[in-house]
Amino acid sequence: MPGRQDMPSTLRRSPKEAQDTWVKAHDSAVDEYGEGERAHRTAFSALKHTFEKVGDRWQRKAGGRKGPSDRQAAKKASAARRSPAKTAEGVDANASKRHLYDIAKELGVEGRSSMSKDELVSAIKKANRRKTAAARK
């Protein structure tokens, strides 16, 4: 199925550039691997290099920063398949603590001022899930 028709709702609420990135990577992955979970994972991996998930949508990484969002995304594709691990679910875990704090503030995360960087990532992931679930209703 072409990427535009198979696009997740969080991307439908995101900027056109994020949508285009996902569609191009998805369609290329479908050509290479066939339709399915692997094509989606490949498309999200490409998206996470220039965008991060904030709430129920994707936005360009601050300062035009590019690169993997977490340790799992930084692995080579073959290594990532051999040892699947949890991801940061689109949160830019490699961003500065200040940036994560600002995102947490934007999302209304309580207790953020006393959180470590890892705790901020976890709290942002939870806030993103809640916002995405609320947007589906």
Side-chain angles (χ1 to χ4, degrees), residues 24-41:
K24 183 177 178 182
H26 177 269
D27 290 351
S28 177
V30 167
D31 289 344
E32 181 75 20
Y33 311 120
E35 181 59 58
E37 182 183 347
R38 189 170 181 188
H40 276 72
R41 283 194 324 259

Side-chain angles (χ1 to χ4, degrees), residues 17 28 62 69 79 82 86 92 95 117 126:
E17 186 181 5
S28 177
S69 295
R82 281 194 307 272
K86 297 282 184 186
D92 189 2
K117 188 173 176 178
K126 289 177 187 174

Side-chain angles (χ1 to χ4, degrees), residues 4-5 7-8 14 17 25-26 31-32 49-50 52-53 58 65 70-71 73-74 80 101 114 117 119 130:
R4 289 257 177 237
Q5 294 152 335
M7 186 183 300
S14 300
E17 186 181 5
H26 177 269
D31 289 344
E32 181 75 20
H49 276 262
T50 51
E52 63 183 322
K53 189 168 183 221
W58 293 83
R65 195 177 86 69
D70 54 41
R71 278 184 238 120
Y101 175 86
S114 62
K117 188 173 176 178
E119 290 170 327
R130 281 193 301 272

Side-chain angles (χ1 to χ4, degrees), residues 52-114:
E52 63 183 322
K53 189 168 183 221
V54 179
D56 65 343
R57 59 188 39 98
W58 293 83
Q59 68 183 28
R60 182 165 277 294
K61 287 184 179 179
R65 195 177 86 69
K66 294 182 179 181
S69 295
D70 54 41
R71 278 184 238 120
Q72 182 68 3
K75 290 181 181 179
K76 290 188 175 186
S78 58
R81 281 193 307 277
R82 281 194 307 272
S83 61
K86 297 282 184 186
T87 70
E89 299 175 16
V91 176
D92 189 2
N94 292 330
S96 69
K97 183 177 178 183
R98 180 67 203 184
H99 175 74
L100 294 169
Y101 175 86
D102 290 342
I103 296 294
K105 184 177 181 182
E106 181 180 332
L107 294 171
V109 173
E110 293 188 21
R112 62 189 171 269
S113 61
S114 62

